[in-house]
Structure formats: C-alpha cells, structure tokens
Amino acid sequence: MLHSIIIATSYLSLPSCFIHMESIYKEKMAADGCLYLPQFLSDECCNKLIDSYKNTIKYSNEEFLRVKSYKFEKHRFSKFDHVINPLLNVHELPNKTAQFSDLLLEIIEQSELPQTVRKILGENPVLVQTMYFESNKGTERHFDGDLFDSTKKGQVIGCWVALEDVSEEAGSFYYYPKSCFLNDDKEVGLQAKEKYQEYLDCVNKKVANYQENDKAQLYTIYKKGNQLLDESLELAQIKQVTRSYKKGDVVFFNSNLLHGSFRPKFNGKTRHSFSVHFISESQSLVRHAKETIPLNIIKKKNLAIHSN
C-alpha cells in the first residue's frame, strides 16, 4: 500500500528548520499529489472554531450555501442533532454569522496553511473555496479537477483539516496517493491510462446528463465510470489510504488527486472539520473543464481571496 510521509509541525511551535521544508513539501506533493501533516493546527484554534460554529451557525434559521446542491438551504439534522448538509464558502458568510467567517480566516492565516501551500506551489496562493462539516452521509470519491481546476491543471491545492479526532466510524477522509498520475502512461502504464481516459469520457457524459436531469441514464453512466476507475486504479496498483485522524491533522492534496469520505458507520459521531482550496495567483479558475473565470482578488485578514 502507498502511504504518505508524515511530517509533523504546529503553527504555535514551528521548528527552526521549517523554512528548509519547502523542498520536502514540493517533492512529496510532486511524488504523490498529497501530503499528511499531523497536529498542524493547535487544539486551541480547533476548539475556538467549533465553539463559534455551535454559537453562531448550528441553530441559525438562515439558509446557507450547501456543498452538494450548490443551493441555499436550511440545516438538515440527523436524529442525533447533527447538521448533515455541509456548508460551502463559509469564509464569506453575512450578517450575524460573519463572525464565524472572520474567525475562520484568522485561523487560516495564522495556521501557516497559506505559507505551506506557497511552498508547494512556488508562488502566492489565493483562497477560492471553503467548506465546513459537522457530519454528513459520506462523499463519493472524486477528483476536484472534474469540477474546478486551474488553467494549468493541478494548480489548485485543497487542505482538509480535522477539528476533532475523526475515526473511520465518523466518516473519515480518504485519498489515493499517486492517483493524479492516472493520465500519464509513463507513471502508471498504458492500460491504466486507457481505462482512466474511458472514465473521463463517462464523466463528460455524466455532466451532460446531469444538466438534462436524465436520472436513469445518469445512474448507468455513474456505475460504468466507477467500474472503469476501479480497473484503472488496480492496473496502476494505486491503493486507498485512510486513518483515524487526530485533532489538528491536515491533508494537502492537488486537484488531480482522487479523494472522498466514508459514510459514517455510527451516526452518533461527528466529524467537525473544514476544507479550504487555494489556487496559484497567476492562474484562472476553470469550471467543468469549460468555463474560464479570471480571479477577482480581494484582501481580507492578510489573505488573498477570490471574490465570487
């Protein structure tokens, strides 16, 4: 099984050699497309953000933009009183919930997340998206690049941050190191690449049928695409990596890396976490491999942010 190197750091007590980690970060991301850093965020910051979420967002009657539907909706609660429809773009919340956004941006800026992404990309990063999860029903494995990417593919870096201990039972994050190379026959072999290209054809059909709302055809394409992806991964000998995460752990991954989260085995557990995506400042956003969106950069909390 392919495993990510563990490189430990904490923003409250960064080692003096941190500035020399740039080459290690870049090499690891270049080799695997992902990087796992345990206890990157302090317990204090994790606790503050969860408390702010509970005090300002969880029991709000407002509608929030959602990850799966891309629509503004009210919270949906499980029988254990956990919000199960994750929030999208929580860095730009309005009115009374804006204090959560301010705290999130402050924590992101202080946590060395942007600085680490800068070391990975080799240029200044721009924040383009955030999400917050209390609980959910699992996230199907996917490549972010199928949804949005940079004009130079792979220049969007995602960071998933555990705000509490997250076990597999709670629906932990998983990923496939080296899956970003499925389109490179020199890395994975010609057969694996050909299967991956067939999978991409299914993705394009899935997008077209989704727009037409043909649910039966969509499900057929979905099943075929998953089968082709399984075959490509097996031919490339690429395995899934997961773990039980500790509070403050972070996974960095590029937009060409396959990842997702498990469906919770026990719905009584939460998985408080957030994700943030950055893009190189020299790039533009590309949605669904078609629509190019120039960056509209604003500054807030010492961060460069793309204003949607």
Side-chain angles (χ1 to χ4, degrees):
M1 182 177 286
L2 300 167
H3 291 282
S4 292
I5 286 176
I6 299 176
I7 307 171
T9 183
S10 168
Y11 95 83
L12 291 179
S13 55
L14 287 171
S16 59
C17 62
F18 184 72
I19 58 174
H20 302 297
M21 301 298 282
E22 178 174 356
S23 61
I24 297 176
Y25 290 167
K26 292 182 74 171
E27 287 172 12
K28 187 59 185 171
M29 288 293 291
D32 285 354
C34 54
L35 176 68
Y36 168 54
L37 300 181
Q39 297 178 309
F40 189 90
L41 202 64
S42 72
D43 285 1
E44 179 185 3
C45 285
C46 293
N47 294 338
K48 279 185 177 180
L49 199 58
I50 292 176
D51 288 344
S52 179
Y53 166 81
K54 290 179 178 178
N55 293 331
T56 62
I57 294 177
K58 180 166 182 172
Y59 297 109
S60 171
N61 289 321
E62 293 186 37
E63 294 186 339
F64 296 92
L65 189 63
R66 302 296 170 169
V67 170
K68 289 194 174 182
S69 68
Y70 290 91
K71 296 178 181 179
F72 284 89
E73 301 169 353
K74 291 186 179 295
H75 294 323
R76 288 190 287 111
F77 289 90
S78 71
K79 65 180 180 180
F80 297 98
D81 197 38
H82 301 152
V83 175
I84 58 174
N85 47 340
L87 291 82
L88 180 63
N89 288 342
V90 287
H91 64 284
E92 51 185 16
L93 298 176
N95 306 324
K96 295 179 181 179
T97 54
Q99 59 183 295
F100 175 85
S101 296
D102 290 341
L103 178 61
L104 174 66
L105 291 175
E106 182 180 325
I107 287 174
I108 289 172
E109 192 272 330
Q110 291 180 354
S111 68
E112 298 288 340
L113 281 171
Q115 292 86 340
T116 304
V117 173
R118 184 181 298 114
K119 296 177 190 300
I120 293 168
L121 292 173
E123 62 178 276
N124 292 330
V126 178
L127 188 157
V128 293
Q129 188 182 83
T130 54
M131 303 177 188
Y132 191 95
F133 308 86
E134 178 180 355
S135 182
N136 66 4
K137 296 183 178 180
T139 303
E140 291 287 344
R141 62 185 184 179
H142 63 282
F143 301 89
D144 285 344
D146 291 342
L147 303 173
F148 71 98
D149 206 341
S150 47
T151 41
K152 180 181 179 181
K153 286 183 66 64
Q155 291 294 98
V156 172
I157 301 297
C159 319
W160 179 82
V161 184
L163 295 173
E164 63 180 345
D165 293 353
V166 179
S167 66
E168 290 187 42
E169 284 188 341
S172 64
F173 183 86
Y174 64 80
Y175 53 100
Y176 295 76
K178 298 187 183 297
S179 57
C180 50
F181 299 118
L182 286 174
N183 206 29
D184 186 344
D185 58 280
K186 293 180 181 178
E187 290 283 345
V188 301
L190 183 59
Q191 285 184 304
K193 177 183 176 179
E194 288 175 343
K195 288 293 181 183
Y196 175 69
Q197 289 177 330
E198 290 182 56
Y199 158 78
L200 289 179
D201 290 340
C202 278
V203 169
N204 292 332
K205 290 178 182 178
K206 182 179 175 182
V207 171
N209 279 272
Y210 181 80
Q211 292 169 343
E212 295 168 8
N213 201 29
D214 187 342
K215 293 183 179 180
Q217 183 69 5
L218 180 62
Y219 181 68
T220 301
I221 294 169
Y222 167 79
K223 286 183 64 177
K224 179 63 175 176
N226 261 342
Q227 178 186 337
L228 290 167
L229 186 54
D230 282 337
E231 292 175 10
S232 179
L233 291 168
E234 183 175 355
L235 287 165
Q237 297 184 339
I238 290 174
K239 306 294 184 182
Q240 181 191 88
V241 168
T242 187
R243 54 174 57 85
S244 290
Y245 294 91
K246 294 295 185 182
K247 181 188 295 186
D249 289 359
V250 179
V251 179
F252 296 84
F253 53 96
N254 71 34
S255 45
N256 294 330
L257 193 85
L258 184 64
H259 64 282
S261 65
F262 292 112
R263 187 179 183 90
K265 296 177 182 177
F266 175 55
N267 291 331
K269 290 183 176 291
T270 57
R271 51 160 295 193
H272 282 279
S273 55
F274 74 89
S275 68
V276 55
H277 288 78
F278 296 94
I279 189 173
S280 298
E281 67 176 355
S282 64
Q283 300 293 307
S284 294
L285 278 172
V286 179
R287 296 194 184 278
H288 300 297
K290 295 178 180 180
E291 182 187 6
T292 300
I293 304 171
L295 295 181
N296 178 27
I297 300 175
I298 61 172
K299 291 283 186 177
K300 190 173 183 180
K301 297 288 181 181
N302 294 319
L303 290 171
I305 301 171
H306 169 63
S307 179
N308 293 298

